[in-house]
């Protein structure tokens, strides 16, 4: 069976997805350290400061001697003097650019895999159309298309060249992997949903920030293929090899692991879930067409991309030796401390809370956070929430309560309203 037949109808006949409410999040390593953002003109494109001629909609471009098409989405409040993220989103086999742009059966909240709604006019989005609705990348024709689209966009619009990203599901995941292999010094990070090595890997030796998402019960592209793609960048990024935890079948949950020891600014994250071949994994349901806005993959991928807002751009030279694993000094005293980082958009937010054990370690912990008026918690992972408004208490779950001195774990929650001004406090047991 050819790979085209293997993936034909991957969405129309998607295998059943099963994930549980309150899916687990396990963070084995810290996110990359922050640096002063490069705001020099070198980080901006020729389109900055120019009155744009491009408009949102379907566009045609000559690439490799062929007429190719893509859909462009420019922020509603586009400012030619502001540099924007540039996000490519690739469709699955048999899918179309329009499916990615419209959000398919889930509608706008799932547009561009749910990222467009969270971006809230802070990014330029591109949905390219594959030949025969796939990404064979014969003679690198699809990589050339990406290069040509990027040149056209950046000559006309203002893009931050340190903030280019790629993402895709199934065959689109394979194309995103091909970009990670061949354009690691051009793109900042990629997200591969249930992908395989389907579009080639030209190069594949440079580091790039990488997040992989894959179902345990994927019968179209088995999870072993996702692990193999992931491990390419575990090696390239100098991460410490490990067998990250994965949920058990029937648990209807997901896990998330950040690898330790990765080169600063080049994390690898792995998010397996108890389900099949589907991009919009939703906790606690086997419905592959569950509403996209409920998918835990949306905030996780968006947070993975936006953590690089203050990170220096990638370099062309991979590390010669893996860096030492980062260490965190014990929190002052014998208790624990908590810090929060927010990703805010109009009408909602996600919060990532970092818990650090004190000098005595913990057998359990509780974090309290007072939400601003009108805000409420709608979803929590890696902790159990008590209450949803006002002062909310988050308690460890079974696997992350016992921490050694200085050890760090993270949990997160999604909310309505604004999360600004929260100051979490941590109590150890």
């Amino acid at each position: 069976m050819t790979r085209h037949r293997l993936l034909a109808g991957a969405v129309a006949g998607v295998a059943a997805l099963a994930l549980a409410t309150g899916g687990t999040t396990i963070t084995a390593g810290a996110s990359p350290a922050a640096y002063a953002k490069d705001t020099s003109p070198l980080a901006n494109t020729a389109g900055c400061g120019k009155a744009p001629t491009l408009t949102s909609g379907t566009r045609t471009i000559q690439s490799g001697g062929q007429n190719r098409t893509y859909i462009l989405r420019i922020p509603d409040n586009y400012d030619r003097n502001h540099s924007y993220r540039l996000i490519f989103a690739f469709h699955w086999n048999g899918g179309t650019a329009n499916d990615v742009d419209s959000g398919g059966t889930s509608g706008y909240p799932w547009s561009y895999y749910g990222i467009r709604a969270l971006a809230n006019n802070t990014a330029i989005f591109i949905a390219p159309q594959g030949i025969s609705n796939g990404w064979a990348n014969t003679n690198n024709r699809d990589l050339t298309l990406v290069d040509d689209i990027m040149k056209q966009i950046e000559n006309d619009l203002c893009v931050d060249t340190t903030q280019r990203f790629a993402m895709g599901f199934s065959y689109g995941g394979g194309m995103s992997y091909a970009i990670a292999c061949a354009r690691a010094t051009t793109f900042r990070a990629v997200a591969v949903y249930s992908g395989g090595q389907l579009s080639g890997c030209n190069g594949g030796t440079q580091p790039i920030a990488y997040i992989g998402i894959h179902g345990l019960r994927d019968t179209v592209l088995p999870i072993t293929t996702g692990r193999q793609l992931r491990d390419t960048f575990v090696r390239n990024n100098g991460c410490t090899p490990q067998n990250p935890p994965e949920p058990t079948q029937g648990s209807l949950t997901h896990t998330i692991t950040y690898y330790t020891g990765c080169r600063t600014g080049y994390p690898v994250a792995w998010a397996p879930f108890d389900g099949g071949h589907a991009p919009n994994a939703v906790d606690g349901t086997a419905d592959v067409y569950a509403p996209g806005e409920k998918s835990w993959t949306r905030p996780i991928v968006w947070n993975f991309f936006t953590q690089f807002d203050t990170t220096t751009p990638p370099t062309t030279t991979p590390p010669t030796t893996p860096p030492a694993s980062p260490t965190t000094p014990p929190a002052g005293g014998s208790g624990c401390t908590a810090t929060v980082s927010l990703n805010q958009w109009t009408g909602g937010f996600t919060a990532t809370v970092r818990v650090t054990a004190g000098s005595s370690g913990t057998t359990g912990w509780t974090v309290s956070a007072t939400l601003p008026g009108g805000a409420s918690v709608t979803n929590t992972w890696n902790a159990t929430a008590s209450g949803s408004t006002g002062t909310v208490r988050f308690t460890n779950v079974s696997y992350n309560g016992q921490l050694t001195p200085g050890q760090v774990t993270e949990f997160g929650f999604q909310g309505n309203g604004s999360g600004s001004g929260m100051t979490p406090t941590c109590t150890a047991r």
Side-chain angles (χ1 to χ4, degrees):
M1 181 178 293
T2 67
R3 67 187 181 197
H4 300 287
R5 292 180 180 175
L6 174 69
L7 293 178
V11 169
V14 172
L17 167 68
L19 293 172
T21 301
T24 45
T25 298
I26 299 173
T27 302
S31 299
Y35 294 86
K37 184 175 180 179
D38 183 358
T39 57
S40 69
L42 294 177
N44 296 331
T45 57
C48 294
K50 293 168 54 177
T53 62
L54 296 176
T55 57
S56 294
T58 301
R59 312 202 63 84
T60 300
I61 187 171
Q62 273 282 321
S63 180
Q66 293 181 291
N67 283 327
R68 302 290 299 269
T69 61
Y70 66 93
I71 297 176
L72 168 65
R73 290 297 168 193
I74 303 172
D76 295 336
N77 55 352
Y78 175 77
D79 178 357
R80 64 186 180 182
N81 296 312
H82 171 80
S83 57
Y84 291 85
R85 302 180 187 94
L86 183 65
I87 301 178
F88 281 78
F90 297 92
H91 62 74
W92 46 93
N93 189 58
T96 66
N98 185 64
D99 291 331
V100 170
D101 180 73
S102 67
T105 58
S106 293
Y108 176 72
W110 194 243
S111 177
Y112 294 86
Y113 299 101
I115 300 302
R116 185 178 169 206
L118 297 186
N120 193 28
N121 289 309
T122 63
I124 297 168
F125 286 90
I126 303 293
Q129 176 61 48
I131 295 175
S132 299
N133 292 351
W135 301 105
N137 195 30
T138 305
N139 297 322
N140 288 325
R141 67 188 182 193
D142 295 321
L143 282 170
T144 300
L145 173 66
V146 170
D147 294 340
D148 290 339
I149 292 173
M150 197 155 49
K151 181 178 180 180
Q152 185 179 75
I153 295 298
E154 295 181 358
N155 279 336
D156 195 73
L157 301 175
C158 191
V159 173
D160 183 343
T161 60
T162 72
Q163 298 289 301
R164 302 186 186 113
F165 305 94
M167 59 194 307
F169 164 62
S170 194
Y171 218 158
M175 186 60 204
S176 299
Y177 178 73
I179 286 175
C181 291
R183 300 292 185 268
T185 59
T186 303
F187 283 76
R188 188 65 188 85
V190 300
V192 176
Y193 299 74
S194 304
Q197 189 169 326
L198 306 168
S199 307
C201 179
N202 183 14
T205 60
Q206 296 278 10
I208 187 172
Y210 184 96
I211 180 170
I213 301 168
H214 216 110
L216 289 176
R217 292 182 274 163
D218 192 331
T219 58
V220 178
L221 289 169
I223 193 170
T224 53
T225 66
R227 296 181 188 129
Q228 290 166 358
L229 304 191
R230 171 203 70 196
D231 288 347
T232 297
F233 294 97
V234 170
R235 293 188 297 270
N236 291 354
N237 296 8
C239 308
T240 303
Q242 67 177 95
N243 292 316
E246 296 179 350
T248 57
Q249 289 195 18
S251 65
L252 307 181
T253 60
H254 68 277
T255 60
I256 302 172
T257 299
Y258 270 78
Y259 276 72
T260 59
C262 302
R263 179 182 179 182
T264 300
Y266 294 91
V268 173
W270 177 238
F273 61 93
D274 179 31
H277 193 67
N280 61 327
V282 178
D283 291 346
T285 179
D287 179 8
V288 297
Y289 297 115
E293 69 270 19
K294 295 185 181 296
S295 176
W296 53 265
T297 64
R298 297 170 70 236
I300 284 171
V301 172
W302 180 241
N303 288 345
F304 189 82
F305 284 173
T306 56
Q307 70 181 311
F308 303 112
D309 280 358
T310 55
T311 302
T312 52
T315 63
T316 58
T317 305
T320 54
T321 57
S325 299
T327 58
T328 301
S334 59
C336 56
T337 58
T339 58
V340 62
S341 59
L342 288 175
N343 175 40
Q344 186 88 38
W345 62 91
T346 302
F349 66 94
T350 57
T352 300
V353 182
R354 183 179 176 91
V355 177
T356 304
S359 57
S360 297
T362 68
T363 58
W365 46 262
T366 298
V367 171
S368 296
T370 300
L371 275 62
S376 62
V377 174
T378 59
N379 185 30
T380 304
W381 52 93
N382 205 23
T384 300
S386 176
S388 60
T389 60
T391 300
V392 182
R393 290 176 175 82
F394 302 90
T395 304
N396 65 275
V397 287
S398 60
Y399 53 80
N400 64 359
Q402 186 168 350
L403 304 175
T404 59
Q407 187 176 359
V408 175
T409 190
E410 291 182 358
F411 70 90
F413 61 94
Q414 186 170 351
N416 293 324
S418 171
S420 299
M422 285 189 295
T423 303
T425 59
C426 185
T427 303
R429 299 192 298 278

